[in-house]
């Protein structure tokens, strides 16, 4: 018999033996990239604010107080009142035209622009999506969307240059919970803290230099980061130390640039409650600087990849007002990288390192 004939007979035999079960080859591997950030309420009225705050304050990574005590405090003393106060803060920065906060606009743009940047670099088999830890779109939704697009591997990219259990780990926890429910579970990589990435440091430093070329040099640049309770640091959260190293790397890079001769100081903002947090506190430091006769200062928040309530309202409005009140004359707020070309270049560089050997 002819070899082709034998092959055809074997194929028939196989088909008969497999009882008509479907045989198909798997699709080509595709990597999903999920950019995650803390999130934003869907509106600034009481109920959207309450829903958002409740989800945030129930996260065990954020609040470590024993549950029973915390539930009482949360539902009796915080949730009935805080949404009104916080809602007013959000209203001050709300984009009325789009009816969303800037964090939502920027997050969407970051994903779209990163997708384009990676495609331009020749990465054809990647899909980029964005999600929030609290509020919508949720991390679980973001992952299932990527799965629907045919992604069988996942790069989790929490957009925090410095690691903290309260941010990076909380995002990953939510993602792992979603992965636990998948039958064909995606292979996963998590992006480590990227504050030491030279592209990141250079982008932040160039941002500072560009602003100060316009405004003229200042006497002090305060490098502010979102604080964490001191006891979290004592229990092993490396965040505060990574913040100090970020400032040191910026100091070295700015010295080379020669544009500014300002002193760089690290501080921590957004303290909540009565516990001691990482110090110095941004507000106190700013007031002290003004009182000590500093007239011109700049402020930058390189722990945030997007401007949000904590920068637009707390820094650019509240802290600015305090500086002026105590004798300051010029306060230069330097925005985050957001969805700028430099910002996207940083994200593309960080994520490209994670794609090595993962797309095969």
């Amino acid at each position: 018999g002819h070899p082709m004939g034998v092959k055809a007979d074997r194929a028939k035999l196989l088909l008969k033996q497999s009882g008509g079960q479907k045989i198909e080859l798997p699709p080509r591997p595709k990597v999903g990239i999920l950019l995650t950030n803390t999130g934003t309420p869907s509106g600034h009225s009481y109920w959207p604010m309450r829903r958002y705050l409740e989800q945030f304050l129930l996260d065990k990574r954020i609040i470590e107080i024993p549950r029973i005590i915390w539930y009482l405090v949360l539902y009796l003393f915080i949730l009935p009142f805080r949404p009104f106060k916080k809602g007013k803060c959000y209203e001050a920065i709300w984009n009325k035209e789009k009816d969303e906060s800037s964090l939502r606009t920027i997050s969407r743009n970051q994903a779209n622009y990163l997708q384009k940047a990676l495609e331009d670099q020749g990465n054809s088999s990647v899909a980029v999506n964005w999600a929030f830890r609290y509020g919508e779109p949720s991390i679980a939704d973001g992952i299932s969307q990527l799965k629907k697009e045919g992604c069988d591997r996942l790069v989790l990219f929490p957009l925090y240059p410095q690691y903290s259990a309260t941010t990076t780990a909380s995002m990953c926890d939510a993602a792992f919970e979603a992965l636990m429910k998948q039958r064909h579970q995606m292979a996963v990589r998590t992006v480590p803290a990227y504050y030491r990435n030279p592209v990141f440091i250079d982008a932040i430093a160039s941002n500072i230099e560009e602003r100060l070329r316009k405004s003229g040099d200042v006497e002090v640049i305060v490098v502010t980061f979102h604080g964490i309770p001191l006891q979290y640091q004592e229990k092993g959260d490396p965040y505060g130390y990574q913040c100090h190293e970020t400032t040191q790397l910026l100091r070295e890079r700015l010295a080379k640039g020669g544009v500014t001769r300002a002193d760089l100081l690290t501080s921590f903002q957004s303290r909540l409650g009565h516990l001691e947090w990482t110090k110095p506190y941004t507000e106190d430091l700013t007031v002290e600087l003004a009182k000590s006769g500093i007239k011109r200062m700049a402020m930058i928040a390189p722990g945030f990849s997007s401007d949000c309530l904590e920068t637009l309202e707390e820094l650019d409005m509240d802290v600015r007002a305090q500086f002026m009140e105590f004798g300051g004359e010029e306060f230069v707020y330097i925005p985050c990288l957001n969805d700028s070309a430099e910002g996207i270049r940083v994200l593309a560089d960080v994520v490209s390192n994670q794609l090595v050997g993962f797309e095969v």
Side-chain angles (χ1 to χ4, degrees):
H2 190 272
M4 284 309 286
V6 174
K7 255 191 181 160
D9 289 346
R10 281 195 196 133
K12 267 190 206 132
L13 177 71
L14 205 61
L15 198 65
K16 197 172 145 193
Q17 287 299 318
S18 61
Q21 283 178 11
K22 181 172 91 169
I23 296 169
E24 58 177 51
L25 296 178
R28 178 162 177 228
K30 187 171 173 183
V31 181
I33 297 161
L34 189 64
L35 307 179
T36 66
N37 216 322
T38 308
T40 170
S42 56
H44 53 74
S45 59
Y46 179 79
W47 286 107
M49 283 303 315
R50 185 183 163 121
R51 271 197 305 276
Y52 177 77
L53 285 170
E54 179 178 29
Q55 195 185 357
F56 173 68
L57 293 169
L58 283 175
D59 185 344
K60 292 188 173 104
R61 290 273 196 188
I62 299 283
I63 308 283
E64 296 184 7
I65 298 165
R67 293 288 97 178
I68 185 81
I69 302 167
W70 179 236
Y71 284 146
L72 286 171
V73 174
L74 183 63
Y75 288 102
L76 289 177
F77 301 105
I78 297 176
L79 287 179
F81 312 106
R82 199 163 170 78
F84 291 113
K85 190 179 152 196
K86 270 285 187 225
K88 283 209 172 48
C89 299
Y90 269 99
E91 193 176 0
I93 64 156
W94 207 255
N95 181 333
K96 306 281 191 287
E97 199 183 317
K98 292 190 158 142
D99 191 28
E100 60 186 27
S101 77
S102 63
L103 180 61
R104 187 177 297 277
T105 319
I106 292 166
S107 300
R108 186 188 299 119
N109 291 348
Q110 282 171 331
N112 292 337
Y113 300 163
L114 179 59
Q115 174 87 49
K116 196 179 172 328
L118 291 172
E119 282 170 4
D120 291 349
Q121 286 173 16
N123 286 306
S124 54
S125 57
V126 294
V128 184
N129 201 1
W130 59 286
F132 290 146
R133 178 63 181 84
Y134 318 106
E136 302 292 322
S138 72
I139 288 175
D141 290 346
I143 290 174
S144 80
Q145 179 65 39
L146 288 170
K147 200 147 178 33
K148 278 197 193 90
E149 287 176 43
C151 298
D152 64 337
R153 17 203 110 185
L154 176 65
V155 175
L156 287 176
F157 193 168
L159 295 177
Y160 305 94
Q162 301 78 15
Y163 168 93
S164 172
T166 58
T167 53
T168 319
S170 182
M171 311 286 132
C172 292
D173 290 347
F176 299 151
E177 268 173 40
L179 291 173
M180 282 169 76
K181 299 187 175 78
Q182 294 181 349
R183 181 176 295 277
H184 182 178
Q185 191 181 59
M186 298 159 100
V188 64
R189 278 188 180 178
T190 65
V191 175
Y194 58 94
Y195 68 93
R196 299 180 70 163
N197 182 315
V199 181
F200 168 71
I201 291 297
D202 192 60
I204 299 284
S206 303
N207 200 7
I208 294 172
E209 290 173 337
E210 192 189 326
R211 296 276 154 175
L212 295 185
R213 275 198 196 98
K214 283 181 200 149
S215 68
D217 205 1
V218 291
E219 297 161 85
V220 175
I221 301 169
V222 171
V223 186
T224 174
F225 300 89
H226 197 299
I228 60 169
L230 182 63
Q231 62 180 35
Y232 292 7
Q233 179 169 288
E234 287 167 345
K235 287 176 181 171
D237 195 317
Y239 173 76
Y241 307 134
Q242 294 187 2
C243 294
H244 284 289
E245 189 177 1
T246 306
T247 304
Q248 182 53 32
L249 292 166
L250 285 172
R251 198 176 278 125
E252 290 163 11
R253 160 63 184 77
L254 288 169
K256 284 194 196 107
V259 174
T260 175
R261 306 192 50 182
D263 229 5
L264 266 68
L265 301 174
T266 307
S267 68
F268 297 93
Q269 64 183 85
S270 314
R271 177 170 165 244
L272 181 69
H274 304 291
L275 286 174
E276 185 178 353
W277 279 36
T278 44
K279 282 181 172 168
Y281 301 141
T282 301
E283 210 171 296
D284 298 355
L285 180 67
T286 305
V287 169
E288 277 312 305
L289 288 170
K291 282 181 177 171
S292 75
I294 296 287
K295 298 296 178 202
R296 296 163 59 80
M297 70 171 282
M299 186 167 272
I300 190 162
F304 295 97
S305 53
S306 305
D307 277 299
C308 52
L309 186 74
E310 284 81 0
T311 63
L312 298 170
E313 197 259 348
E314 189 183 335
L315 301 178
D316 204 13
M317 293 180 191
D318 297 355
V319 175
R320 171 191 295 276
Q322 295 237 288
F323 182 62
M324 298 309 194
E325 188 190 326
F326 286 95
E329 282 165 20
E330 182 165 19
F331 181 94
V332 182
Y333 173 66
I334 301 166
C336 298
L337 294 175
N338 295 323
D339 51 9
S340 66
E342 301 78 60
I344 301 305
R345 201 161 43 244
V346 172
L347 300 185
D349 188 75
V350 172
V351 95
S352 300
N353 295 333
Q354 295 302 317
L355 292 176
V356 177
F358 201 43
E359 296 177 281
V360 187

